[in-house]
Every structure is written in structure tokens, then in C-alpha cells.
Amino acid sequence: MSDEDLASRAPESDAQEDAQTKSGIPGDTKPDQGAASMGEHCTNDRPTPAYLGTPTGEITKFNDTDVYITKPADYPHTSAKLLLLLTGGTGIHSKNNQLQADKYAGEGFLVVMPDQFANDPAPATSTSTAPANANPSMIEQVKLAVATTAKSFSIDMWLARHTPEKVLPILHRVLTSVKEEFADAAGNGVYAVGYCFGAKYVLLLGSKLHMDVAQGQRAPESQAEEGMMKQGTQIKAGAIAHGTLIAKEDLAGVRVPMCVVAVEDDPMFPDNVREEGVKALQEKGVEHEVSVYAGVPHGFAVLGDYEDEKIVEQQGKAYEQMLGWLKSH
């Protein structure tokens, strides 16, 4: 894919650039060395495109978990496919995430977007929308450094509350309920799409996990007991965009067709992790498609407005790629 022009500077990140490492794309930042593997685009919404209007779905409960449900306009008079949509840290109350779900519903999917975080979305990383001082004083630099450390700490604490041991049981309970409620849509299998934080869990649901991992009793990377049975894959096919917290083993374990949208030189989904994971998929003969987008920030595929039209264009391309993959399977 050809390189794109640099994105326009995102005002919410201007004041952070002296305290964080720049990614090379204005408006984007890398996490500091040793900081949590989530960045600003994982925890903050972009401005919502005005033309998209108001979300059309509703929030209800399935197995004591809040879920945003959105359906095709003509459902149930015409058939639909059941799609599990897993968000980044902004969660199900984000207008952008709800509108993203609505877009898939408009293409014939009955979309289930569960609250993976039990009403505890990621803390926003922005602390200021004021323009950055071109020559900050020493005091200002210290304040920025302190703010960055505090943000990294709050994200680390949040991530410690939302591990696979906590998230996987939530997803399994929701899936059990919605497959019963929408048995017609689930009859051909469950499809899944995941952005940022949610991408890892699409990979895990597309893998054969040991039963204790699926039930939240053990971390996926820890040693399994001898003879521990495995649970079958929970989805038919999946698509992910610019994942975070993904290990090569997460990709290597996938056993269902998987589409991967990645960002070039993304510190939150490093090239070596993606390449080693994809190599394992190739060796195991798992159907997959990988596209690496250049000149876009991490989080670009999540619905939201950018001043740079080239990023908006790539956002549309990523959506069409993921939609096409799901429809073709």
C-alpha cells in the first residue's frame, strides 16, 4: 500500500508531544518506554462525523451485561448474520462505537456490542486541548512529564482490572444468551470484529482455548495442566484492526478465517509480532488476509473524523476490507 501524506495534527495530543515519543505521524503518539500498551487513540473518541446523525440501536442486558444491540432495518423479515463487535477502551457508550455498529447493521448484520469492561471504560488520556507552547518552560515540561506519568499509571491500573481472566467469561456469557435470543441469526455461526483492545479477544475467540482459560480461571499465556480439555472456537470468522496487547501466540492460535488490518510501524502492534503470528497461520493453513496501512495513526479504522482527507479515505478502505471479509465467509 502506498505511503500517504502525514495526518493533520490532532489538537488533543498537541500538549503531550514533549512528554511522549512521537510516532512520526502528527496527532499520534507512542506510549513511553515501559508504559501500558495503549495509546490516545485507544482511549479517546475522535470528533463524530456530523453527517452520521444519531445511533439507532439500544442498550439492553444479556446475562447481567450491558449490550448495545443494533439490527438491520428489515430484520426479522429478512435473515441477518450475528456479528459480535468488540471495541477499544472507549466502550459501548461511545457514540462513535455505536455508529460503527450501526454501519455493520446497515449491511445485514445483527450486531451485538457487549460491555467488556463492566461499566468501567478506559480513563481518557487527554489532559488538555490547549495549543502546545513551542518553547515550554522548565516548569511546564515538568508538569507535562508528571501528567504523562499519571496517565500511564491510570491506564496500567485499568488494564490490570481488565485481563482475559475477567473479559473472556463476560464474552462467553453474552454469546450464550444472544445465540439463544437470536437463534435465527446465529444459525450460520457467529462473526466477530474487534478494534484496539477488542482485537485480542476476537483472536482468542477464534482459537481453541483450554477450558480453564475460557472460563477465566487462568491467563492464556500461563502453563496448562496436563490433560486439560480445550474449548472449540466460538466464532466462524473474524476481522481485527490495529490491535493492542496482542502476543504472537494470540495470532498463532487462531483457527478460523481472519482478516488483519494493521498500521505500519505501530508500537502497540509491532511488526515482528504481526509477522511471526501470520507466519504461524500460514504454516497451519489458516485462511487469512493482512493489510498494513501507511501514513495513518493507530486507531484510524475506528469511526471518527480527521482533518486529513487521506486518513478518512483509508478509514473507509479499512471498513470496506473488514466488511468484505465478513460477508465473504
Side-chain angles (χ1 to χ4, degrees):
M1 187 167 295
S2 61
D3 289 344
E4 300 290 349
D5 294 340
L6 296 180
S8 297
R9 183 180 302 275
E12 67 272 17
S13 63
D14 284 343
Q16 300 171 36
E17 291 182 349
D18 288 328
Q20 289 183 291
T21 304
K22 296 178 182 179
S23 69
I25 300 172
D28 194 29
T29 53
K30 292 182 180 182
D32 290 337
Q33 195 72 11
S37 297
M38 288 185 71
E40 183 160 339
H41 288 80
C42 307
T43 58
N44 290 273
D45 274 334
R46 297 292 305 178
T48 302
Y51 67 89
L52 288 175
T54 303
T56 58
E58 63 178 359
I59 293 179
T60 185
K61 281 190 180 293
F62 280 92
N63 230 325
D64 295 324
T65 297
D66 286 342
V67 179
Y68 180 81
I69 300 282
T70 180
K71 308 170 186 176
D74 51 0
Y75 179 83
H77 302 295
T78 58
S79 60
K81 294 180 178 180
L82 185 61
L83 175 66
L84 180 73
L85 193 157
L86 303 181
T87 72
T90 51
I92 69 168
H93 295 282
S94 156
K95 183 177 179 181
N96 287 357
N97 290 338
Q98 292 179 358
L99 290 169
Q100 187 109 51
D102 291 348
K103 286 187 68 175
Y104 285 106
E107 295 291 338
F109 290 94
L110 193 161
V111 185
V112 173
M113 186 167 71
D115 180 7
Q116 308 163 88
F117 313 124
N119 201 30
D120 178 32
T125 59
S126 293
T127 58
S128 174
T129 57
N133 188 334
N135 298 293
S137 68
M138 182 61 68
I139 292 176
E140 290 170 331
Q141 291 180 46
V142 170
K143 287 181 178 178
L144 285 170
V146 170
T148 299
T149 300
K151 287 181 290 183
S152 296
F153 179 75
S154 65
I155 290 293
D156 284 338
M157 293 297 291
W158 181 82
L159 288 171
R161 298 195 297 272
H162 302 290
T163 61
E165 297 96 304
K166 299 291 182 63
V167 175
L168 281 172
I170 291 173
L171 299 181
H172 281 109
R173 289 196 299 269
V174 169
L175 281 172
T176 298
S177 294
V178 298
K179 284 192 288 187
E180 292 177 359
E181 178 72 17
F182 304 112
D184 54 339
N188 196 34
V190 178
Y191 296 81
V193 61
Y195 296 87
C196 296
F197 182 100
K200 178 184 181 76
Y201 293 90
V202 170
L203 299 180
L204 292 177
L205 292 173
S207 304
K208 293 181 178 180
L209 301 178
H210 285 102
M211 293 298 295
D212 56 348
V213 171
Q215 294 167 3
Q217 299 168 356
R218 177 174 62 85
E221 64 273 13
S222 60
Q223 186 67 38
E225 293 183 13
E226 186 176 352
M228 175 64 67
M229 294 181 61
K230 285 191 174 184
Q231 174 182 269
T233 58
Q234 299 297 294
I235 60 174
K236 181 176 182 178
I240 66 171
H242 40 70
T244 61
L245 306 167
I246 290 176
K248 63 182 180 181
E249 291 80 9
D250 296 331
L251 265 171
V254 171
R255 293 293 181 272
V256 301
M258 188 65 60
C259 172
V260 177
V261 167
V263 173
E264 185 177 67
D265 298 324
D266 186 352
M268 284 164 275
F269 189 13
D271 293 347
N272 67 302
V273 171
R274 183 188 71 249
E275 290 164 358
E276 291 180 33
V278 169
K279 181 179 178 182
L281 293 180
Q282 293 170 338
E283 291 173 349
K284 294 173 182 177
V286 177
E287 185 183 359
H288 62 279
E289 175 180 285
V290 180
S291 290
V292 180
Y293 287 71
V296 294
H298 179 92
F300 83 101
V302 176
L303 188 65
D305 205 7
Y306 287 88
E307 292 180 11
D308 192 320
E309 289 299 325
K310 291 185 172 63
I311 297 180
V312 176
E313 179 184 347
Q314 297 294 71
Q315 185 183 95
K317 286 183 178 179
Y319 169 73
E320 291 297 334
Q321 178 186 347
M322 296 167 78
L323 175 66
W325 179 263
L326 296 171
K327 283 189 169 183
S328 67
H329 291 83

